[in-house]
Amino acid sequence: MAASSNSSLSGSSVSSDPEDYQPPIWKSYLYQLQQEAPRPKRITCPQEMESRPKYYGREFHGLISREQADELLAGTEGAYLIRESQRQPGTYTLALRFGGQTLNYRLFYDGKHFVGEKRFESVHDLVTDGLITLYIETKAAEYIAKMTTNPIYQHLGYTSLLRDKITHRLNRTRSEPKKVTFQQDEKILACSQISPSPLSRRTTLKDGPEKHCNYEKIHNFKVHTFRGPHWCEYCANFMWGLIAQGVRCSDCGLNVHKQCSKLVPSDCQPDLRRIKKVFSCDLTTLVKAHNTPRPMVLDMCIREIEHRGLKSEGLYRVSGFTEHIEDVRLSFDRDGEKADISANIYPDINIIAGALKLYLRDLPIPVITYDVYSRFIQAAKITDPDSRLEAVHDGLLQLPPAHYETLRYLMTHLKRVTMYEKDNYMNSENLGIVFGPTLMRPPDLNTLTTLNDMRYQKLIVQLLIEHEDILF
């Protein structure tokens, strides 16, 4: 294997300043191998075959044996034909000459041709891609196995030098970090010689160095067909093949080999240009894209409600007009943080409250995520109040950071709503009934499970509101 044909990485030329970032030198070895791969050569049948399926061409040779196919392909690297299987009539086999031998693959068609995961418009494209893959994996098996051992992603500090200088922008706009920690109330300690549980005492907010909106986010990789040559942005090697050569993150646009995608850190920085809408967008994806601690919808709606709606009777229980709530959704999807939800446009505060509930209900992953749903339901079933709060607190610690912060901010707001109960008639129990099914949904979406869990969902939200100063 000609290792010398690889371009080297010049790490010394890369500055730690994003403004001075220079793209890496892509490795050319696998690209050269693809250029050297055998070209497909169709072996046509000299006579018209009446049994030929309409989606095959003259490469179809009818009902012939493996030995006959081998004779027809002998001596021509890249030669191929299609035959009907003698062992299983009505099924078809692609016979392909590679490496001095004839390889046989069961061939399928469902509107496209395929022998494995990849689907092709034509048999010719399928064979072209197959020959490239066979040639590269034969010639460079050892190289491929080791190509992730020295990735540019780490070698060049690529994780901190994101494309389009995203990191530089974030560093300029990031606010001073804050951390929420528990601090014991001295009065309570004086009442007991036994050190109380963290959840049986008052808490206060205390500044610290870690709590900020730089949340971790996994990449949302999907199989992608690249037009023209493309190189992996993790290992710097060429992504070979005709179609589906690798995967692309649909949130930030990172392009990598499928095998490299398993090694990429959870450092996705979504690109606003790729976020098509605000509603129904993954919560962490949205806050990462906007570099905010919480979704803008939550902040803007709560700000508007607290400005002019805390005394509104039946707040969050009374529904606004559906078409007006839909208008608010469209406004956020179209204008983002520039959406106008002021009283001049929507004088009925129930429209804003309804839009907030709709946003939370439409999240693809609920605020209280599917992963911890059962943990919260089990916590609600505990009869001892202190143990129940401890279990709820443990569940909160399992939430993704963006979900935790969203829930914390919402509960603080709902606690303020209950302070105006004499005017709005909304206590923590009423709000629990409204927000329970909105904030937490069972993973299996079973109707019976949902009905059985509703009282526990209500109780969880009620506890979160009543004890928000202790739980968060």
Side-chain angles (χ1 to χ4, degrees):
M1 181 172 61
S4 61
S5 62
N6 302 331
S7 298
S8 62
L9 290 172
S10 181
S12 59
S13 65
V14 178
S15 168
S16 59
D17 185 353
E19 295 289 354
D20 298 330
Y21 171 60
Q22 297 296 323
I25 300 173
W26 305 115
K27 303 175 185 178
S28 62
Y29 177 56
L30 297 180
Y31 176 74
Q32 293 171 4
L33 287 182
Q34 175 161 312
Q35 299 302 104
E36 298 169 4
R39 298 293 183 264
K41 301 175 182 65
R42 185 175 69 155
I43 305 300
T44 59
C45 183
Q47 58 195 43
E48 186 67 32
M49 303 297 298
E50 294 183 1
S51 62
R52 184 181 73 192
K54 62 181 180 180
Y55 41 82
Y56 294 140
R58 296 293 299 275
E59 69 275 6
F60 182 76
H61 286 250
L63 198 65
I64 62 174
S65 66
R66 288 189 172 214
E67 292 74 22
Q68 289 174 303
D70 190 49
E71 291 178 7
L72 291 169
L73 300 176
T76 309
E77 193 77 352
Y80 72 94
L81 59 81
I82 298 172
R83 62 181 178 85
E84 186 174 358
S85 174
Q86 288 185 323
R87 296 178 181 178
Q88 295 179 292
T91 63
Y92 305 98
T93 298
L94 172 67
L96 173 65
R97 193 73 177 179
F98 178 80
Q101 58 181 332
T102 299
L103 308 176
N104 292 276
Y105 300 93
R106 178 79 175 273
L107 188 59
F108 301 91
Y109 181 80
D110 63 354
K112 291 188 177 182
H113 304 275
F114 63 98
V115 296
E117 293 182 355
K118 293 184 179 183
R119 282 165 163 72
F120 300 83
E121 296 291 343
S122 69
V123 174
H124 185 83
D125 287 348
L126 186 155
V127 174
T128 302
D129 185 85
L131 288 169
I132 290 171
T133 301
L134 286 168
Y135 188 78
I136 288 178
E137 292 182 353
T138 299
K139 293 284 186 178
E142 183 180 352
Y143 180 88
I144 292 172
K146 295 181 179 180
M147 69 183 184
T148 61
T149 56
N150 187 29
I152 60 167
Y153 214 78
Q154 297 166 353
H155 185 68
L156 294 180
Y158 205 57
T159 54
S160 62
L161 297 172
L162 297 171
R163 291 172 310 284
D164 299 325
K165 303 180 180 67
I166 291 175
T167 301
H168 188 64
R169 172 176 59 83
L170 293 181
N171 287 337
R172 290 200 309 267
T173 60
R174 185 172 295 150
S175 59
E176 285 298 315
K178 292 183 178 180
K179 182 183 179 183
V180 177
T181 58
F182 287 112
Q183 186 178 49
Q184 269 180 281
D185 191 302
E186 294 179 358
K187 293 182 180 179
I188 289 183
L189 278 181
C191 296
S192 174
Q193 295 180 352
I194 301 174
S195 179
S197 160
L199 297 180
S200 64
R201 64 191 182 224
R202 300 281 296 171
T203 59
T204 60
L205 293 180
K206 185 177 181 180
D207 288 341
E210 297 176 5
K211 183 74 175 178
H212 53 72
C213 58
N214 189 25
Y215 304 135
E216 280 193 356
K217 180 189 178 306
I218 62 173
H219 290 270
N220 185 19
F221 287 119
K222 295 181 180 178
V223 175
H224 189 78
T225 294
F226 298 94
R227 304 301 177 189
H230 270 73
W231 274 257
C232 175
E233 295 173 49
Y234 181 80
C235 71
N237 281 287
F238 178 67
M239 294 195 282
W240 65 90
L242 204 61
I243 68 168
Q245 303 97 326
V247 294
R248 167 176 286 176
C249 177
S250 59
D251 294 333
C252 71
L254 183 70
N255 303 316
V256 296
H257 292 111
K258 187 176 181 180
Q259 60 266 45
C260 290
S261 68
K262 301 172 184 177
L263 304 174
V264 175
S266 299
D267 62 353
C268 177
Q269 177 58 51
D271 187 340
L272 277 174
R273 293 171 295 182
R274 297 179 178 274
I275 306 301
K276 304 299 182 184
K277 53 187 178 180
V278 171
F279 278 64
S280 301
C281 177
D282 172 70
L283 196 156
T284 302
T285 299
L286 187 69
V287 300
K288 287 278 288 183
H290 289 271
N291 190 36
T292 57
R294 298 170 299 275
M296 71 178 79
V297 179
L298 190 79
D299 279 4
M300 292 175 64
C301 287
I302 286 178
R303 189 183 309 123
E304 195 68 24
I305 291 167
E306 295 196 352
H307 175 64
R308 59 185 174 99
L310 286 176
K311 294 183 179 181
S312 176
E313 183 176 339
L315 181 64
Y316 288 117
R317 188 185 70 242
V318 177
S319 300
F321 287 112
T322 303
E323 58 267 29
H324 293 168
I325 293 173
E326 187 63 25
D327 285 343
V328 175
R329 175 217 283 265
L330 294 174
S331 181
F332 274 114
D333 284 343
R334 181 183 63 248
D335 304 324
E337 58 190 10
K338 296 180 180 179
D340 186 355
I341 58 173
S342 66
N344 294 332
I345 308 297
Y346 302 104
D348 182 3
I349 197 62
N350 294 311
I351 294 170
I352 307 305
L356 176 56
K357 290 189 295 182
L358 178 63
Y359 170 76
L360 296 170
R361 191 165 57 246
D362 278 1
L363 287 171
I365 300 176
V367 176
I368 295 178
T369 61
Y370 295 125
D371 291 342
V372 298
Y373 177 84
S374 61
R375 181 187 289 264
F376 277 91
I377 295 298
Q378 293 305 313
K381 295 178 180 180
I382 298 173
T383 55
D384 178 65
D386 288 341
S387 299
R388 183 169 56 198
L389 283 182
E390 290 283 0
V392 171
H393 182 256
D394 290 343
L396 290 173
L397 296 179
Q398 302 303 313
L399 289 173
H403 287 247
Y404 177 92
E405 171 59 18
T406 297
L407 189 61
R408 182 199 67 79
Y409 193 78
L410 178 62
M411 292 304 111
T412 303
H413 161 67
L414 295 181
K415 184 66 172 286
R416 284 195 288 271
V417 172
T418 64
M419 294 170 65
Y420 292 84
E421 181 186 349
K422 289 183 180 180
D423 298 298
N424 59 37
Y425 300 104
M426 295 300 291
N427 57 26
S428 59
E429 183 177 4
N430 293 335
L431 290 169
I433 294 171
V434 172
F435 280 93
T438 299
L439 296 175
M440 52 193 304
R441 304 189 295 270
D444 55 7
L445 297 179
N446 181 282
T447 304
L448 183 60
T449 302
T450 303
L451 290 174
N452 290 336
D453 289 352
M454 284 185 67
R455 57 176 172 160
Y456 300 118
Q457 295 170 350
K458 184 266 292 184
L459 179 58
I460 288 295
V461 175
Q462 183 178 345
L463 290 171
L464 291 174
I465 295 171
E466 292 174 353
H467 303 282
E468 60 85 21
D469 57 336
I470 294 175
L471 289 171
F472 293 96

